[in-house]
Amino acid sequence: MHVLITAGPTREPLDPVRYLTNRSSGKMGYAMAHAFIHAGHSVLLISGPTTLDVPDHVDFIPIETAAEMHAAVANSIGGVDIAVFAAAVADYTPAHVAAHKIKKSGATLTLELVRTPDILGAARLEFGFAGTLVGFAAETENLEANARDKLTRKGCNLIIANDVSKPAFGFDSDRNEVLLVYPDHHEALPANSKHALAHHLVTAIVELHKGHQSSVISKDQELALIHLPQ
Ligand code: CTP
Protein backbone atom coordinates (compact mmCIF):
# COMPACT_ATOMS: atom_id res chain seq x y z
CA MET A 1 0.00 0.00 0.00
CA HIS A 2 1.12 3.61 -0.62
CA VAL A 3 0.89 5.62 2.58
CA LEU A 4 1.23 9.40 3.06
CA ILE A 5 1.90 10.71 6.56
CA THR A 6 2.09 14.32 7.74
CA ALA A 7 3.99 14.88 10.97
CA GLY A 8 5.65 17.41 13.25
CA PRO A 9 4.90 21.07 13.83
CA THR A 10 4.80 23.86 11.27
CA ARG A 11 6.79 27.09 11.57
CA GLU A 12 5.07 30.31 10.56
CA PRO A 13 7.60 33.13 10.00
CA LEU A 14 7.13 36.59 11.51
CA ASP A 15 10.36 38.14 10.26
CA PRO A 16 13.76 36.78 9.15
CA VAL A 17 14.65 35.63 12.70
CA ARG A 18 11.32 34.70 14.35
CA TYR A 19 8.49 32.24 13.85
CA LEU A 20 5.33 30.88 15.53
CA THR A 21 5.27 27.14 16.23
CA ASN A 22 3.99 24.55 18.75
CA ARG A 23 5.28 21.74 20.99
CA SER A 24 4.78 18.86 18.54
CA SER A 25 7.81 16.53 18.58
CA GLY A 26 6.72 14.50 15.52
CA LYS A 27 7.30 11.26 17.48
CA MET A 28 3.86 9.72 16.79
CA GLY A 29 3.98 10.39 13.03
CA TYR A 30 7.57 9.16 12.69
CA ALA A 31 6.76 6.02 14.75
CA MET A 32 3.85 5.33 12.38
CA ALA A 33 6.08 5.85 9.32
CA HIS A 34 8.49 3.27 10.78
CA ALA A 35 5.64 0.85 11.59
CA PHE A 36 4.13 1.08 8.08
CA ILE A 37 7.58 0.35 6.54
CA HIS A 38 8.03 -2.57 8.96
CA ALA A 39 4.64 -3.93 7.79
CA GLY A 40 5.82 -3.83 4.15
CA HIS A 41 4.17 -0.63 2.88
CA SER A 42 5.71 2.34 1.06
CA VAL A 43 5.68 5.63 2.96
CA LEU A 44 5.95 9.29 2.01
CA LEU A 45 6.53 11.41 5.11
CA ILE A 46 5.83 15.15 4.84
CA SER A 47 7.15 16.76 7.98
CA GLY A 48 7.80 20.03 9.69
CA PRO A 49 11.11 20.52 11.54
CA THR A 50 11.87 17.91 14.23
CA THR A 51 15.00 16.50 15.88
CA LEU A 52 14.12 12.95 14.77
CA ASP A 53 15.92 10.77 12.22
CA VAL A 54 13.86 9.94 9.14
CA PRO A 55 13.21 6.17 9.31
CA ASP A 56 15.04 4.07 6.68
CA HIS A 57 13.28 3.51 3.35
CA VAL A 58 10.85 6.40 3.91
CA ASP A 59 10.47 9.02 1.15
CA PHE A 60 10.75 12.40 2.83
CA ILE A 61 9.58 15.91 2.01
CA PRO A 62 10.66 18.52 4.59
CA ILE A 63 8.44 21.58 4.89
CA GLU A 64 8.28 24.57 7.24
CA THR A 65 4.94 26.36 6.89
CA ALA A 66 1.32 25.15 6.76
CA ALA A 67 1.11 26.53 3.21
CA GLU A 68 4.16 24.45 2.18
CA MET A 69 2.65 21.33 3.78
CA HIS A 70 -0.64 22.00 1.95
CA ALA A 71 1.22 22.27 -1.39
CA ALA A 72 3.32 19.14 -0.73
CA VAL A 73 0.21 17.09 0.15
CA ALA A 74 -1.69 18.44 -2.89
CA ASN A 75 1.22 17.40 -5.16
CA SER A 76 1.67 13.93 -3.66
CA ILE A 77 -1.72 12.56 -2.60
CA GLY A 78 -2.64 11.20 -6.05
CA GLY A 79 -2.06 7.42 -6.06
CA VAL A 80 -1.97 7.22 -2.27
CA ASP A 81 -4.09 4.46 -0.63
CA ILE A 82 -3.90 5.58 3.01
CA ALA A 83 -3.32 9.14 4.28
CA VAL A 84 -2.55 9.77 7.95
CA PHE A 85 -2.52 13.39 9.11
CA ALA A 86 -0.49 13.43 12.32
CA ALA A 87 1.01 16.93 11.89
CA ALA A 88 0.26 19.68 14.40
CA VAL A 89 -0.41 22.32 11.76
CA ALA A 90 -0.53 25.94 12.96
CA ASP A 91 -4.12 27.13 12.71
CA TYR A 92 -3.01 30.75 12.14
CA THR A 93 -0.06 32.41 10.45
CA PRO A 94 1.13 36.05 10.53
CA ALA A 95 -0.81 38.16 8.02
CA HIS A 96 2.46 39.82 6.95
CA VAL A 97 6.04 38.57 7.13
CA ALA A 98 8.34 41.52 7.84
CA ALA A 99 11.22 41.77 5.37
CA HIS A 100 13.52 42.98 8.17
CA LYS A 101 13.80 42.07 11.85
CA ILE A 102 10.93 43.68 13.79
CA LYS A 103 12.51 46.25 16.16
CA LYS A 104 11.03 46.82 19.60
CA SER A 105 9.04 50.04 19.94
CA GLY A 106 6.00 50.44 22.23
CA ALA A 107 5.17 48.57 25.45
CA THR A 108 2.88 46.17 23.57
CA LEU A 109 2.93 44.61 20.13
CA THR A 110 -0.17 43.31 18.36
CA LEU A 111 0.20 40.62 15.72
CA GLU A 112 -2.41 40.09 13.04
CA LEU A 113 -2.86 36.41 12.20
CA VAL A 114 -4.83 34.78 9.39
CA ARG A 115 -6.12 31.20 9.11
CA THR A 116 -3.96 28.57 7.45
CA PRO A 117 -5.44 26.04 5.01
CA ASP A 118 -7.04 23.02 6.70
CA ILE A 119 -5.01 20.32 4.94
CA LEU A 120 -6.91 17.32 6.32
CA GLY A 121 -10.19 19.14 5.59
CA ALA A 122 -9.04 19.65 1.98
CA ALA A 123 -8.27 15.96 1.35
CA ARG A 124 -11.72 14.91 0.14
CA LEU A 125 -13.14 18.02 -1.53
CA GLU A 126 -10.08 19.89 -2.80
CA PHE A 127 -7.64 17.03 -3.49
CA GLY A 128 -10.35 14.46 -4.40
CA PHE A 129 -8.74 11.83 -2.15
CA ALA A 130 -10.83 8.62 -2.18
CA GLY A 131 -8.61 6.38 -0.04
CA THR A 132 -8.61 5.69 3.70
CA LEU A 133 -8.33 9.00 5.55
CA VAL A 134 -7.06 9.14 9.13
CA GLY A 135 -6.84 12.27 11.27
CA PHE A 136 -5.69 13.06 14.78
CA ALA A 137 -7.51 15.08 17.43
CA ALA A 138 -5.88 16.58 20.49
CA GLU A 139 -8.61 17.42 22.98
CA THR A 140 -8.84 18.57 26.59
CA GLU A 141 -12.55 17.73 27.11
CA ASN A 142 -15.38 15.69 25.54
CA LEU A 143 -12.84 13.48 23.77
CA GLU A 144 -15.21 11.21 21.85
CA ALA A 145 -17.77 13.87 20.90
CA ASN A 146 -15.13 16.35 19.68
CA ALA A 147 -13.28 13.64 17.76
CA ARG A 148 -16.52 12.42 16.15
CA ASP A 149 -17.32 15.97 15.09
CA LYS A 150 -13.88 16.19 13.40
CA LEU A 151 -14.43 12.78 11.74
CA THR A 152 -17.67 14.01 10.18
CA ARG A 153 -16.49 17.52 9.22
CA LYS A 154 -13.27 16.34 7.58
CA GLY A 155 -14.63 13.21 5.86
CA CYS A 156 -12.32 10.85 7.78
CA ASN A 157 -12.65 7.08 8.18
CA LEU A 158 -10.88 7.19 11.54
CA ILE A 159 -9.85 9.82 14.09
CA ILE A 160 -7.09 8.94 16.55
CA ALA A 161 -7.98 11.07 19.57
CA ASN A 162 -5.94 11.81 22.63
CA ASP A 163 -6.64 13.73 25.80
CA VAL A 164 -3.83 16.28 26.06
CA SER A 165 -5.01 17.43 29.48
CA LYS A 166 -3.32 14.27 30.86
CA PRO A 167 0.27 15.44 31.48
CA ALA A 168 1.83 11.99 30.92
CA PHE A 169 0.63 11.78 27.31
CA GLY A 170 0.61 13.74 24.14
CA PHE A 171 2.85 16.24 22.51
CA ASP A 172 6.42 15.77 23.73
CA SER A 173 5.89 12.51 25.60
CA ASP A 174 7.23 9.08 24.54
CA ARG A 175 3.93 7.54 25.60
CA ASN A 176 0.37 8.01 24.46
CA GLU A 177 -3.15 6.76 25.21
CA VAL A 178 -5.65 7.08 22.38
CA LEU A 179 -9.28 6.56 21.52
CA LEU A 180 -9.99 5.27 18.01
CA VAL A 181 -13.17 6.94 16.74
CA TYR A 182 -14.78 5.28 13.70
CA PRO A 183 -18.04 6.37 11.99
CA ASP A 184 -20.05 3.70 13.80
CA HIS A 185 -18.13 2.79 16.96
CA HIS A 186 -15.09 3.61 19.07
CA GLU A 187 -12.32 1.67 20.75
CA ALA A 188 -9.89 2.71 23.50
CA LEU A 189 -6.26 1.59 23.22
CA PRO A 190 -4.47 1.36 26.58
CA ALA A 191 -1.47 3.59 27.38
CA ASN A 192 1.68 2.44 25.63
CA SER A 193 4.93 3.71 24.17
CA LYS A 194 4.39 5.64 20.92
CA HIS A 195 6.54 3.00 19.23
CA ALA A 196 4.35 0.07 20.35
CA LEU A 197 1.17 2.04 19.83
CA ALA A 198 2.22 2.84 16.24
CA HIS A 199 2.26 -0.88 15.40
CA HIS A 200 -1.29 -1.31 16.80
CA LEU A 201 -2.46 1.76 14.88
CA VAL A 202 -0.94 0.52 11.62
CA THR A 203 -2.67 -2.85 12.04
CA ALA A 204 -6.01 -1.11 12.75
CA ILE A 205 -5.61 1.25 9.75
CA VAL A 206 -4.67 -1.53 7.32
CA GLU A 207 -7.67 -3.59 8.55
CA LEU A 208 -9.87 -0.56 8.05
CA HIS A 209 -8.49 -0.07 4.54
CA LYS A 210 -9.18 -3.67 3.64
CA GLY A 211 -12.79 -3.08 4.65
CA HIS A 212 -12.75 -5.30 7.71
CA GLN A 213 -14.32 -2.44 9.59
CA SER A 214 -16.76 0.16 8.35
CA SER A 215 -14.69 2.33 6.01
CA VAL A 216 -17.72 3.66 4.20
CA ILE A 217 -18.49 7.34 4.64
CA SER A 218 -21.73 7.60 6.61
CA LYS A 219 -24.80 9.45 5.39
CA ASP A 220 -24.10 12.18 8.01
CA GLN A 221 -20.58 12.65 6.63
CA GLU A 222 -21.87 12.83 3.04
CA LEU A 223 -24.36 15.52 4.06
CA ALA A 224 -21.72 17.44 6.05
CA LEU A 225 -19.34 17.36 3.06
CA ILE A 226 -22.06 18.52 0.64
CA HIS A 227 -22.82 21.47 2.90
CA LEU A 228 -19.22 22.51 3.58
CA PRO A 229 -18.49 26.11 2.50
CA GLN A 230 -16.29 26.18 -0.63
N1 CTP B 1 -4.93 19.54 10.40
C1 CTP B 1 -4.49 19.84 9.11
N2 CTP B 1 -4.37 21.15 8.71
C2 CTP B 1 -4.64 22.16 9.56
C3 CTP B 1 -5.06 21.88 10.88
C4 CTP B 1 -5.19 20.57 11.26
O1 CTP B 1 -4.23 18.90 8.33
N3 CTP B 1 -4.49 23.43 9.15
C5 CTP B 1 -5.13 18.14 10.78
C6 CTP B 1 -4.17 17.63 11.83
O2 CTP B 1 -3.04 17.03 11.24
C7 CTP B 1 -5.04 16.62 12.57
C8 CTP B 1 -6.41 17.24 12.52
O3 CTP B 1 -6.42 18.09 11.37
O4 CTP B 1 -5.11 15.39 11.87
C9 CTP B 1 -6.70 18.08 13.75
O5 CTP B 1 -7.87 18.79 13.51
P1 CTP B 1 -8.16 20.24 14.12
O6 CTP B 1 -9.58 20.57 13.79
O7 CTP B 1 -7.13 21.24 13.75
O8 CTP B 1 -7.99 19.89 15.59
P2 CTP B 1 -7.29 20.67 16.70
O9 CTP B 1 -5.87 20.97 16.31
O10 CTP B 1 -7.51 19.85 17.91
O11 CTP B 1 -8.02 22.09 16.72
P3 CTP B 1 -9.50 22.56 17.15
O12 CTP B 1 -10.04 21.54 18.10
O13 CTP B 1 -9.20 23.89 17.71
O14 CTP B 1 -10.30 22.65 15.88
Side-chain angles (χ1 to χ4, degrees), residues 9-13 48-49 63-70 89 93 116 119:
T10 63
R11 274 183 187 171
E12 308 300 326
I63 57 85
E64 293 221 343
T65 64
E68 287 169 8
M69 182 173 275
H70 179 267
V89 183
T93 191
T116 55
I119 307 165

Side-chain angles (χ1 to χ4, degrees), residues 18-206:
R18 302 184 180 95
Y19 52 76
L20 302 179
T21 190
N22 59 65
R23 288 179 185 278
S24 169
S25 64
K27 285 175 189 165
M28 198 66 246
Y30 279 57
M32 290 185 72
H34 177 268
F36 271 113
I37 290 287
H38 190 258
H41 304 285
S42 80
V43 175
L44 171 65
L45 178 63
I46 299 173
S47 175
T50 76
T51 59
L52 304 171
D53 292 330
V54 178
D56 286 346
H57 311 298
V58 164
D59 292 320
F60 184 66
I61 301 179
I63 57 85
E64 293 221 343
T65 64
E68 287 169 8
M69 182 173 275
H70 179 267
V73 172
N75 286 335
S76 341
I77 203 164
V80 163
D81 302 298
I82 296 172
V84 179
F85 287 74
V89 183
D91 289 322
Y92 292 90
T93 191
H96 310 285
V97 183
H100 299 286
K101 187 181 165 197
I102 301 169
K103 303 300 271 180
K104 36 181 178 309
S105 48
T108 62
L109 173 70
T110 304
L111 295 175
E112 189 188 355
L113 305 178
V114 293
R115 283 287 290 272
T116 55
D118 181 354
I119 307 165
L120 174 58
R124 296 291 189 210
L125 288 177
E126 191 184 325
F127 307 149
F129 180 64
T132 297
L133 186 61
V134 180
F136 275 74
E139 306 292 345
T140 55
E141 56 182 353
N142 304 326
L143 187 60
E144 198 217 326
N146 284 333
R148 191 164 294 289
D149 176 55
K150 244 157 242 181
L151 179 98
T152 305
R153 272 193 289 117
K154 303 196 185 199
C156 295
N157 303 103
L158 167 64
I159 290 280
I160 301 167
N162 70 321
D163 182 345
V164 286
S165 69
K166 294 185 178 175
F169 304 119
F171 276 130
D172 204 21
S173 167
D174 285 325
R175 292 175 66 74
N176 207 352
E177 183 185 57
V178 300
L179 184 72
L180 303 187
V181 179
Y182 296 93
D184 53 3
H185 69 292
H186 63 269
E187 182 188 340
L189 295 187
N192 213 328
S193 71
K194 286 185 176 173
H195 183 75
L197 193 60
H199 288 278
H200 292 299
L201 292 174
V202 164
T203 304
I205 292 167
V206 171

